[in-house]
Amino acid sequence: MPVNEQAAPGRVGDVRRRNLSLVLDSIARTGDAKPSRAQLAAGTGLTKAAVSSLVAELVESGLVSEVGLYRDGERGRPGQGLELSTRRGVVGMEINVDYLAVGLVDLGGNLRFSSTVESRNRGLKPGDVMTRLAGLAAEAQAVAAGEGIAILGGGLAVPGLVDERRGIVLSAPNLHWANEKLEANALLGEVPLGVRLSNEANSAALGELWYGGGPADFLYVSGEVGVGGGVIIGSELYLGPGGSAGELGHIVVHPEGPACSCGGAGCLETFAGQEAIFESAGITAGSLSGRTDSLHSALAANQPRAAAAVHDAGTYLGVALASAARLMDIEAVVLGGHFAELGEWLLPALLESMERHAPGLLDPANVTVSGLKHSGTLLGAAGQVIRSVIESPFDLVLAAKPA
């Protein structure tokens, strides 16, 4: 809610903080529309003079850019459009079991650079993995410098339960990590906002929400070596009291099934995780990209063993989603990671399984494949930092003012 600064003596600083965020959020929400100052005043309820002053500070800080000239109507002077700056950015980073990835995302949500390298991280010491990741992060920083993009901070996503405040990976069974402190801030050196730690599936869910056109309420299913989930309710990430909501991969789908990395048995991950599908399909040798290509080729050729492996994965995923839908009353599901890549072969078995175990509960049209695929995690990890800038730009605005 906008506040008149003159009506709040002694609290002008707090009022200005709120109104800076209000204006920046309004610019962010308009997307490609690029509102003028007059349009922002009309939309926020602030005076035109107040908006002009706030926008001037946001432009000076580099968070907002002025673009083009157009008329709001037939009369009056042409106004300049406003957008989140493409000259400020955040580095999204991901550690997964068999690869590392980085991406440079500008404030407008454009993925300006990305790089993924295969890396067998299971069982490695966190420090060794972080050293490898720092090399990739340096590539993103070099690209940013070459394009004149100032890096404000970073987001690091890992496949496990994290304590963001303390920068600790509490449990990442597929990496064989438990209670490991990550020196995430060292990845980018001195940046204003540091590096924020998050769960991989949760980051991917947020990436889908903010940049993939996801609905306001959905369950995101992340398919990698492990299977994760992110729950979005009312356009907000739901973590649960302990921060572990959405652990779809460890729903038991077969009580007599094989042992799982979590210590249990018969979890979805043991049937629908990437390695489980490769093994079931008889594709066990080669690099990750090589095995992925072999699986897709075998599926395209309708080879029975590969087709059966993906069919079984889809069936068990349908069992897990039927249970999740009954428990949580979810209305939509978005499949990401290798599930998105296998969508054409996986979806028929998944939908058949859901209809068998929860008939009529979830409209098949609401089970979709993410268009972001693997980039969703990078976008979501970076996007969390971008959202923090939008929600609280005051310190960055203040730092940009001449001493």
Side-chain angles (χ1 to χ4, degrees):
M1 177 180 295
V3 181
N4 185 333
E5 295 180 16
Q6 295 181 347
R11 296 189 291 115
V12 171
D14 290 339
V15 171
R16 200 154 190 82
R17 284 177 186 269
R18 290 195 293 273
N19 287 345
L20 277 167
S21 177
L22 176 64
V23 170
L24 192 57
D25 183 64
S26 296
I27 295 171
R29 289 180 184 276
T30 58
D32 295 332
K34 299 177 177 51
S36 67
R37 289 165 174 79
Q39 289 170 328
L40 288 174
T44 61
L46 294 167
T47 66
K48 291 183 179 180
V51 167
S52 292
S53 175
L54 294 164
V55 166
E57 290 186 293
L58 291 168
V59 170
E60 182 182 13
S61 70
L63 299 180
V64 167
S65 298
E66 296 175 307
V67 288
L69 288 172
Y70 63 90
R71 294 186 182 276
D72 292 334
E74 294 183 0
R75 299 181 179 181
R77 296 169 59 187
Q80 284 187 303
L82 300 164
E83 67 177 7
L84 296 182
S85 176
T86 59
R87 297 297 180 184
R88 297 292 184 271
V90 174
V91 178
M93 296 167 280
E94 180 185 1
I95 295 172
N96 221 298
V97 179
D98 45 17
Y99 68 86
L100 300 171
V102 301
L104 175 64
V105 184
D106 66 33
L107 292 189
N110 303 297
L111 186 61
R112 306 287 290 272
F113 164 82
S114 66
S115 178
T116 301
V117 298
E118 293 190 21
S119 177
R120 296 182 181 276
N121 300 317
R122 176 179 284 151
L124 291 183
K125 294 181 179 178
D128 294 338
V129 176
M130 295 289 278
T131 297
R132 294 182 183 181
L133 184 59
L136 279 183
E139 292 182 27
Q141 289 176 299
V143 170
E147 296 189 9
I149 300 172
I151 294 176
L152 300 178
L156 171 59
V158 298
L161 183 62
V162 304
D163 182 332
E164 177 189 333
R165 183 180 60 82
R166 295 188 295 156
I168 293 175
V169 178
L170 300 172
S171 175
N174 286 316
L175 287 172
H176 298 172
W177 291 358
N179 296 313
E180 295 284 1
K181 172 75 172 178
L182 299 187
E183 299 300 334
N185 287 331
L187 290 168
L188 298 177
E190 294 295 326
V191 290
L193 302 178
V195 176
R196 179 172 181 169
L197 185 65
S198 64
N199 169 267
E200 168 263 329
N202 288 338
S203 289
L206 289 170
E208 187 68 26
L209 174 70
W210 293 328
Y211 307 114
D217 304 279
F218 67 97
L219 171 62
Y220 181 91
V221 185
S222 169
E224 303 293 346
V225 169
V227 176
V231 183
I232 301 294
I233 299 175
S235 296
E236 298 287 343
L237 179 67
Y238 175 72
L239 293 173
S244 60
E247 283 290 342
L248 191 75
H250 299 292
I251 288 179
V252 176
V253 294
H254 191 314
E256 305 304 321
C260 180
S261 63
C262 72
C267 298
L268 172 64
E269 189 173 290
T270 64
F271 296 97
Q274 195 168 45
E275 287 187 350
I277 294 175
F278 284 145
E279 183 176 352
S280 181
I283 301 171
T284 56
S287 64
L288 172 62
S289 59
R291 286 181 292 163
T292 300
D293 290 343
S294 294
L295 177 62
H296 288 182
S297 296
L299 290 168
N302 200 28
Q303 293 183 7
R305 190 168 178 182
V310 174
H311 180 277
D312 289 348
T315 297
Y316 283 114
L317 180 55
V319 172
L321 290 175
S323 298
R326 289 195 183 281
L327 181 64
M328 300 174 57
D329 191 27
I330 58 173
E331 296 181 348
V333 172
V334 179
L335 304 177
H338 77 258
F339 292 138
E341 295 177 346
L342 296 173
E344 100 180 69
W345 301 286
L346 185 86
L347 275 172
L350 186 160
L351 295 174
E352 181 183 352
S353 178
M354 286 197 63
E355 182 60 22
R356 178 185 177 189
H357 297 287
L361 190 61
L362 191 61
D363 186 340
N366 290 338
V367 181
T368 58
V369 168
S370 172
L372 300 178
K373 296 185 170 62
H374 290 284
S375 67
T377 301
L378 296 177
L379 287 165
Q384 292 174 75
V385 181
I386 293 171
R387 289 305 307 175
S388 74
V389 171
I390 293 170
E391 292 168 1
S392 184
F394 183 81
D395 290 341
L396 291 172
V397 168
L398 188 64
K401 291 182 176 297

Tab-separated table of all heavy atoms in Angstrom, residues 161-191:
chain	number	residue	atom	x	y	z
A	161	LEU	N	18.063	-31.325	1.310
A	161	LEU	CA	17.469	-30.429	2.304
A	161	LEU	C	18.546	-29.469	2.813
A	161	LEU	O	19.639	-29.892	3.173
A	161	LEU	CB	16.901	-31.249	3.462
A	161	LEU	CG	16.171	-30.505	4.572
A	161	LEU	CD1	14.935	-29.802	4.037
A	161	LEU	CD2	15.783	-31.466	5.699
A	162	VAL	N	18.235	-28.171	2.819
A	162	VAL	CA	19.240	-27.173	3.188
A	162	VAL	C	18.752	-26.281	4.318
A	162	VAL	O	17.550	-26.108	4.520
A	162	VAL	CB	19.628	-26.295	1.979
A	162	VAL	CG1	20.104	-27.146	0.809
A	162	VAL	CG2	18.473	-25.387	1.549
A	163	ASP	N	19.716	-25.729	5.034
A	163	ASP	CA	19.471	-24.650	5.984
A	163	ASP	C	20.048	-23.400	5.338
A	163	ASP	O	21.257	-23.172	5.379
A	163	ASP	CB	20.153	-24.939	7.324
A	163	ASP	CG	19.890	-23.869	8.376
A	163	ASP	OD1	19.663	-22.706	8.008
A	163	ASP	OD2	19.928	-24.204	9.579
A	164	GLU	N	19.178	-22.640	4.697
A	164	GLU	CA	19.631	-21.489	3.924
A	164	GLU	C	20.360	-20.468	4.790
A	164	GLU	O	21.395	-19.927	4.396
A	164	GLU	CB	18.429	-20.825	3.242
A	164	GLU	CG	18.781	-19.576	2.475
A	164	GLU	CD	17.553	-18.834	1.990
A	164	GLU	OE1	16.505	-19.478	1.773
A	164	GLU	OE2	17.644	-17.607	1.841
A	165	ARG	N	19.822	-20.212	5.977
A	165	ARG	CA	20.393	-19.166	6.838
A	165	ARG	C	21.832	-19.471	7.217
A	165	ARG	O	22.692	-18.597	7.213
A	165	ARG	CB	19.535	-19.007	8.096
A	165	ARG	CG	19.985	-17.893	9.030
A	165	ARG	CD	19.074	-17.807	10.243
A	165	ARG	NE	19.070	-19.049	10.998
A	165	ARG	CZ	20.020	-19.371	11.883
A	165	ARG	NH1	21.045	-18.560	12.111
A	165	ARG	NH2	19.936	-20.508	12.554
A	166	ARG	N	22.116	-20.738	7.515
A	166	ARG	CA	23.477	-21.109	7.938
A	166	ARG	C	24.337	-21.623	6.795
A	166	ARG	O	25.526	-21.887	6.976
A	166	ARG	CB	23.402	-22.173	9.033
A	166	ARG	CG	22.764	-21.690	10.331
A	166	ARG	CD	22.906	-22.740	11.413
A	166	ARG	NE	22.163	-23.964	11.092
A	166	ARG	CZ	22.447	-25.163	11.588
A	166	ARG	NH1	23.488	-25.304	12.406
A	166	ARG	NH2	21.710	-26.217	11.269
A	167	GLY	N	23.745	-21.769	5.601
A	167	GLY	CA	24.513	-22.235	4.465
A	167	GLY	C	24.951	-23.680	4.592
A	167	GLY	O	26.048	-24.057	4.160
A	168	ILE	N	24.062	-24.514	5.145
A	168	ILE	CA	24.400	-25.917	5.396
A	168	ILE	C	23.489	-26.839	4.589
A	168	ILE	O	22.277	-26.627	4.530
A	168	ILE	CB	24.275	-26.243	6.901
A	168	ILE	CG1	25.333	-25.486	7.705
A	168	ILE	CG2	24.396	-27.744	7.155
A	168	ILE	CD1	25.205	-25.666	9.204
A	169	VAL	N	24.104	-27.844	3.955
A	169	VAL	CA	23.326	-28.922	3.343
A	169	VAL	C	23.066	-29.949	4.442
A	169	VAL	O	23.976	-30.647	4.892
A	169	VAL	CB	24.092	-29.575	2.173
A	169	VAL	CG1	23.278	-30.730	1.585
A	169	VAL	CG2	24.398	-28.547	1.096
A	170	LEU	N	21.825	-30.017	4.890
A	170	LEU	CA	21.481	-30.909	5.992
A	170	LEU	C	21.520	-32.372	5.571
A	170	LEU	O	22.006	-33.231	6.303
A	170	LEU	CB	20.104	-30.549	6.550
A	170	LEU	CG	19.953	-29.128	7.104
A	170	LEU	CD1	18.505	-28.843	7.451
A	170	LEU	CD2	20.848	-28.939	8.324
A	171	SER	N	20.978	-32.628	4.378
A	171	SER	CA	20.932	-34.004	3.890
A	171	SER	C	20.796	-34.012	2.377
A	171	SER	O	19.846	-33.453	1.831
A	171	SER	CB	19.756	-34.754	4.522
A	171	SER	OG	19.634	-36.058	3.977
A	172	ALA	N	21.766	-34.628	1.696
A	172	ALA	CA	21.714	-34.822	0.252
A	172	ALA	C	22.160	-36.259	-0.011
A	172	ALA	O	23.314	-36.514	-0.351
A	172	ALA	CB	22.612	-33.827	-0.472
A	173	PRO	N	21.251	-37.229	0.167
A	173	PRO	CA	21.638	-38.651	0.120
A	173	PRO	C	22.332	-39.062	-1.163
A	173	PRO	O	23.267	-39.863	-1.136
A	173	PRO	CB	20.298	-39.383	0.290
A	173	PRO	CG	19.411	-38.416	0.998
A	173	PRO	CD	19.817	-37.070	0.491
A	174	ASN	N	21.893	-38.520	-2.302
A	174	ASN	CA	22.490	-38.939	-3.569
A	174	ASN	C	23.897	-38.390	-3.776
A	174	ASN	O	24.638	-38.878	-4.638
A	174	ASN	CB	21.589	-38.546	-4.735
A	174	ASN	CG	20.365	-39.433	-4.830
A	174	ASN	OD1	20.454	-40.644	-4.711
A	174	ASN	ND2	19.196	-38.822	-5.012
A	175	LEU	N	24.259	-37.365	-3.002
A	175	LEU	CA	25.634	-36.867	-3.022
A	175	LEU	C	26.468	-37.481	-1.901
A	175	LEU	O	27.683	-37.304	-1.861
A	175	LEU	CB	25.646	-35.336	-2.871
A	175	LEU	CG	25.178	-34.515	-4.074
A	175	LEU	CD1	25.059	-33.047	-3.687
A	175	LEU	CD2	26.117	-34.673	-5.250
A	176	HIS	N	25.793	-38.167	-0.973
A	176	HIS	CA	26.425	-38.698	0.250
A	176	HIS	C	26.916	-37.552	1.136
A	176	HIS	O	27.959	-37.650	1.772
A	176	HIS	CB	27.591	-39.642	-0.088
A	176	HIS	CG	27.186	-40.857	-0.865
A	176	HIS	ND1	28.102	-41.733	-1.408
A	176	HIS	CD2	25.959	-41.338	-1.205
A	176	HIS	CE1	27.457	-42.703	-2.046
A	176	HIS	NE2	26.150	-42.471	-1.925
A	177	TRP	N	26.133	-36.481	1.203
A	177	TRP	CA	26.447	-35.329	2.046
A	177	TRP	C	25.436	-35.234	3.180
A	177	TRP	O	24.233	-35.435	2.980
A	177	TRP	CB	26.393	-34.020	1.269
A	177	TRP	CG	27.478	-33.855	0.247
A	177	TRP	CD1	28.503	-34.705	-0.034
A	177	TRP	CD2	27.611	-32.743	-0.647
A	177	TRP	NE1	29.278	-34.200	-1.051
A	177	TRP	CE2	28.761	-32.990	-1.443
A	177	TRP	CE3	26.896	-31.575	-0.851
A	177	TRP	CZ2	29.191	-32.110	-2.432
A	177	TRP	CZ3	27.318	-30.689	-1.838
A	177	TRP	CH2	28.461	-30.949	-2.610
A	178	ALA	N	25.931	-34.918	4.365
A	178	ALA	CA	25.054	-34.675	5.516
A	178	ALA	C	25.716	-33.636	6.407
A	178	ALA	O	26.902	-33.760	6.750
A	178	ALA	CB	24.801	-35.962	6.298
A	179	ASN	N	24.951	-32.582	6.744
A	179	ASN	CA	25.438	-31.509	7.623
A	179	ASN	C	26.757	-30.928	7.120
A	179	ASN	O	27.719	-30.773	7.868
A	179	ASN	CB	25.578	-32.018	9.057
A	179	ASN	CG	24.250	-32.424	9.655
A	179	ASN	OD1	23.263	-31.689	9.555
A	179	ASN	ND2	24.199	-33.601	10.256
A	180	GLU	N	26.767	-30.600	5.832
A	180	GLU	CA	27.967	-30.043	5.216
A	180	GLU	C	27.798	-28.539	5.027
A	180	GLU	O	26.835	-28.070	4.433
A	180	GLU	CB	28.232	-30.698	3.860
A	180	GLU	CG	28.553	-32.185	3.930
A	180	GLU	CD	29.970	-32.451	4.416
A	180	GLU	OE1	30.701	-31.485	4.711
A	180	GLU	OE2	30.342	-33.642	4.495
A	181	LYS	N	28.766	-27.794	5.533
A	181	LYS	CA	28.775	-26.350	5.360
A	181	LYS	C	29.379	-26.009	4.006
A	181	LYS	O	30.482	-26.450	3.680
A	181	LYS	CB	29.605	-25.705	6.474
A	181	LYS	CG	29.866	-24.218	6.310
A	181	LYS	CD	28.650	-23.378	6.620
A	181	LYS	CE	29.008	-21.889	6.627
A	181	LYS	NZ	27.825	-21.042	6.878
A	182	LEU	N	28.651	-25.249	3.195
A	182	LEU	CA	29.160	-24.817	1.901
A	182	LEU	C	29.561	-23.343	1.975
A	182	LEU	O	28.772	-22.503	2.413
A	182	LEU	CB	28.096	-24.988	0.812
A	182	LEU	CG	27.573	-26.404	0.537
A	182	LEU	CD1	26.656	-26.393	-0.679
A	182	LEU	CD2	28.709	-27.391	0.348
A	183	GLU	N	30.760	-23.050	1.541
A	183	GLU	CA	31.230	-21.661	1.516
A	183	GLU	C	30.749	-21.022	0.214
A	183	GLU	O	31.528	-20.690	-0.677
A	183	GLU	CB	32.754	-21.622	1.638
A	183	GLU	CG	33.301	-22.217	2.916
A	183	GLU	CD	32.792	-21.501	4.166
A	183	GLU	OE1	32.441	-20.287	4.062
A	183	GLU	OE2	32.730	-22.135	5.232
A	184	ALA	N	29.449	-20.848	0.133
A	184	ALA	CA	28.832	-20.406	-1.128
A	184	ALA	C	29.265	-19.003	-1.528
A	184	ALA	O	29.435	-18.710	-2.716
A	184	ALA	CB	27.311	-20.479	-1.006
A	185	ASN	N	29.468	-18.121	-0.555
A	185	ASN	CA	29.821	-16.741	-0.883
A	185	ASN	C	31.163	-16.637	-1.584
A	185	ASN	O	31.429	-15.657	-2.295
A	185	ASN	CB	29.820	-15.882	0.380
A	185	ASN	CG	28.420	-15.590	0.887
A	185	ASN	OD1	27.475	-15.539	0.103
A	185	ASN	ND2	28.266	-15.412	2.181
A	186	ALA	N	32.019	-17.642	-1.396
A	186	ALA	CA	33.335	-17.606	-2.038
A	186	ALA	C	33.242	-17.841	-3.545
A	186	ALA	O	34.194	-17.565	-4.280
A	186	ALA	CB	34.241	-18.660	-1.403
A	187	LEU	N	32.108	-18.349	-4.029
A	187	LEU	CA	31.991	-18.679	-5.449
A	187	LEU	C	32.076	-17.454	-6.352
A	187	LEU	O	32.562	-17.545	-7.479
A	187	LEU	CB	30.664	-19.402	-5.709
A	187	LEU	CG	30.540	-20.818	-5.146
A	187	LEU	CD1	29.092	-21.291	-5.227
A	187	LEU	CD2	31.454	-21.773	-5.911
A	188	LEU	N	31.591	-16.314	-5.887
A	188	LEU	CA	31.549	-15.113	-6.721
A	188	LEU	C	32.410	-13.978	-6.198
A	188	LEU	O	32.462	-12.916	-6.820
A	188	LEU	CB	30.096	-14.623	-6.855
A	188	LEU	CG	29.110	-15.568	-7.531
A	188	LEU	CD1	27.708	-14.966	-7.525
A	188	LEU	CD2	29.535	-15.876	-8.955
A	189	GLY	N	33.051	-14.175	-5.072
A	189	GLY	CA	33.839	-13.090	-4.498
A	189	GLY	C	32.943	-12.019	-3.901
A	189	GLY	O	31.858	-12.290	-3.402
A	190	GLU	N	33.387	-10.783	-3.988
A	190	GLU	CA	32.656	-9.673	-3.368
A	190	GLU	C	31.501	-9.222	-4.263
A	190	GLU	O	31.702	-8.531	-5.258
A	190	GLU	CB	33.604	-8.502	-3.108
A	190	GLU	CG	34.679	-8.789	-2.068
A	190	GLU	CD	34.088	-9.016	-0.684
A	190	GLU	OE1	33.065	-8.368	-0.355
A	190	GLU	OE2	34.643	-9.840	0.057
A	191	VAL	N	30.301	-9.639	-3.915
A	191	VAL	CA	29.095	-9.155	-4.591
A	191	VAL	C	28.141	-8.655	-3.515
A	191	VAL	O	28.138	-9.174	-2.392
A	191	VAL	CB	28.434	-10.263	-5.441
A	191	VAL	CG1	29.297	-10.598	-6.655
A	191	VAL	CG2	28.166	-11.523	-4.624
